[in-house]
Amino acid sequence: MNVSVKSLRGVSRTWRSFSSRQGMNVFDRSMKRRQKDWASSLLDSSKYDYLREEVGSRVADRVYDVARTFPLALDVGCGRSHIAEHLSKEVVERLFLTDISSSSLRNRKTSDIPAQCVMADEEFLPFKENTFDLVLSSLSMHWINDLPGALRQIHQVLKPDGVFIGAMVGGETLYELRCSLQLAELEREGGFAPHISPYTAVTDLGNLLGQAGFNMLTVDIDEVQVNYPGMLEVMRDLQGMGESNCAWNRKLLLQRDTMLAAAAIYKEMYGNEDGSVPATFQILYMIGWKPHDSQAKPAKRGSANVSFADLSKIGKLQSDQ
Amino acid sequence: MSGSNVWTRSRARMRLFPELMAQCSGEATAYGKCVAATTTGKQELTRNMCVKEFEALKSCFQSAAKKAVK
């Protein structure tokens, strides 16, 4: 990432803040359902699947890393189901798929794991407590209004010693598009409005998971850069993925002059040598466990039997053995 | 929605956008450089700071669009 880009004056961003209750209705969920329905019923919808495929396979990798078989698993916000096709019946025996968009569930990809589809909102999971051994979520949590609440519900439906493995878009995703649109609007119209939805910062994610009751957390960040011919192709692909903005504060109109200006700025500031432009997606992966007695706990205070002072003698200890 | 309406017509116009941009790459680069220069300088970016470069880009774009229609 170009450091000079980050120090642009007048270029701002809004992070999702989870401290105040007022920030809890950021997205228009019914609009998101309509966008997902439209995107999944496109004839060439598989053309836009590349990002979800990649992230789905990486989430499946993390499932394999946990050397266990999961009798019952849940995929929250599954879309057209991009994780299940990389998993096998030996690892996950039965799968529940939920999404707010019924059209996505109907057009989902096939896999050999027996699956049941439930149309449900991620914030109102219709399952009993202590049901699932594994909960998965890939690239849908960045549209949830009450993220702390949704994480608490995931924690609830998990069995003790169950695990939640999720991936969401966050951090500095699409900063090139955000900055180009912002500068173009400033220069052409004299002010700017948010066009990119607010994302969760990676530093907040650990706190969110901890507050929801998960322990043994693992959070890591992955950057995927995709090259496009130009800014319009970026926007068209985002629309085809069902990732159009649905925040209540979004501006509904993008003026033609501003679009032209933004495309020129995008190419000049971020373009590659061969004329293409990059778009950055920062994917946050998270793993959290529901507490159980069998899990390792921190040692009791006062139970140490070696002192830090012995560190200086380590060389001597090794040569004795 | 079937048939021709404002959305199908504007989407059809948008599809020509990349080719027209390719024809005006010089003007686009000039405009982009002007805006990028304001971000590293001491001045804040204000409205119409790069209006000359933008007008050049826009007129190039519009004449390319007229040629494409013919």
Side-chain angles (χ1 to χ4, degrees):
Chain A
M1 242 188 280
N2 195 348
V3 176
S4 67
V5 169
K6 281 193 144 179
S7 60
L8 284 172
R9 279 196 285 119
V11 177
S12 67
R13 83 204 72 168
T14 41
W15 293 116
R16 295 248 10 225
S17 76
F18 295 104
S19 47
S20 66
R21 284 269 130 195
Q22 292 126 322
M24 286 308 179
N25 192 7
V26 182
F27 304 113
D28 180 355
R29 293 290 286 172
S30 66
M31 185 75 219
K32 181 45 62 183
R33 172 183 296 139
R34 286 203 293 277
Q35 287 169 351
K36 282 186 148 182
D37 278 341
W38 176 84
S40 56
S41 54
L42 287 173
L43 289 170
D44 54 354
S45 58
S46 53
K47 207 168 63 161
Y48 304 105
D49 274 347
Y50 46 89
L51 186 64
R52 290 190 199 277
E53 278 292 308
E54 180 61 32
V55 178
S57 74
R58 292 188 195 187
V59 172
D61 277 347
R62 282 164 170 79
V63 176
Y64 277 113
D65 283 345
V66 179
R68 262 170 66 171
T69 304
F70 300 99
L72 191 59
L74 169 67
D75 190 345
V76 176
C78 62
R80 286 171 53 242
S81 179
H82 301 270
I83 312 179
E85 49 177 339
H86 302 280
L87 295 173
S88 68
K89 265 205 289 245
E90 285 84 49
V91 181
V92 171
E93 288 171 24
R94 251 183 89 201
L95 183 60
F96 269 77
L97 298 166
T98 68
D99 199 80
I100 45 165
S101 152
S102 56
S103 167
S104 308
L105 291 171
R106 260 178 281 132
N107 294 325
R108 71 179 184 284
K109 302 203 178 140
T110 49
S111 83
D112 28 281
I113 305 177
Q116 246 161 308
C117 297
V118 179
M119 189 172 112
D121 193 318
E122 289 97 316
E123 302 183 45
F124 306 103
L125 293 176
F127 301 107
K128 273 203 314 223
E129 259 193 79
N130 301 329
T131 319
F132 295 101
D133 303 277
L134 168 68
V135 174
L136 301 164
S137 176
S138 169
L139 295 189
S140 73
M141 284 164 58
H142 53 287
W143 296 115
I144 296 182
N145 275 317
D146 182 8
L147 192 52
L151 287 173
R152 268 195 296 271
Q153 293 205 20
I154 292 176
H155 176 85
Q156 232 181 358
V157 302
L158 268 176
K159 288 197 192 131
D161 209 27
V163 62
F164 166 55
I165 302 181
M168 73 186 268
V169 154
E172 296 284 335
T173 300
L174 292 174
Y175 73 91
E176 301 102 338
L177 185 60
R178 174 170 39 85
C179 292
S180 308
L181 284 170
Q182 224 159 11
L183 290 172
E185 274 189 311
L186 259 179
E187 202 276 323
R188 289 285 88 220
E189 299 171 38
F192 60 88
H195 287 276
I196 313 285
S197 66
Y199 296 119
T200 310
V202 65
T203 44
D204 287 338
L205 204 50
N207 293 335
L208 283 173
L209 289 167
Q211 276 166 17
F214 292 102
N215 65 4
M216 302 207 298
L217 305 173
T218 309
V219 176
D220 62 282
I221 194 164
D222 219 353
E223 207 171 275
V224 177
Q225 208 179 61
V226 185
N227 290 323
Y228 295 91
M231 188 185 88
L232 275 198
E233 283 82 355
V234 178
M235 287 163 59
R236 197 198 56 187
D237 269 25
L238 289 171
Q239 194 182 38
M241 282 185 221
E243 294 294 312
S244 311
N245 196 0
C246 68
W248 289 110
N249 68 355
R250 72 191 185 280
K251 205 163 131 192
L252 294 170
L253 177 66
L254 184 57
Q255 293 187 8
R256 264 183 291 180
D257 280 3
T258 307
M259 220 184 300
L260 179 57
I265 295 171
Y266 201 140
K267 181 155 257 167
E268 172 53 30
M269 282 181 69
Y270 305 105
N272 301 320
E273 254 96 55
D274 60 358
S276 62
V277 297
T280 305
F281 296 93
Q282 277 198 346
I283 318 283
L284 279 59
Y285 295 95
M286 65 204 95
I287 305 180
W289 294 78
K290 185 153 176 178
H292 186 258
D293 295 327
S294 67
Q295 289 166 1
K297 289 204 178 37
K300 269 174 90 160
R301 284 175 66 116
S303 65
N305 49 14
V306 237
S307 156
F308 273 118
D310 294 336
L311 270 176
S312 56
K313 302 193 204 128
I314 272 207
K316 224 168 70 172
L317 287 167
Q318 291 240 343
S319 57
D320 280 346
Q321 279 160 9
Chain B
M1 270 187 262
S2 53
S4 161
N5 54 46
V6 64
W7 304 115
T8 58
R9 282 195 294 273
S10 59
R11 276 199 206 118
R13 268 201 299 270
M14 294 294 282
R15 255 169 265 157
L16 292 172
F17 196 102
E19 292 160 35
L20 303 176
M21 273 293 281
Q23 290 175 38
C24 299
S25 56
E27 285 86 346
T29 312
Y31 177 73
K33 281 204 163 78
C34 169
V35 174
T38 64
T39 63
T40 48
K42 294 209 179 78
Q43 282 177 304
E44 291 239 351
L45 181 63
T46 54
R47 190 173 184 188
N48 286 330
M49 217 170 203
C50 297
V51 63
K52 272 201 302 263
E53 288 86 352
F54 183 75
E55 291 301 327
L57 173 60
K58 190 165 174 184
S59 52
C60 166
F61 199 78
Q62 280 171 337
S63 53
K66 283 200 194 99
K67 270 189 281 185
V69 163
K70 285 197 195 115

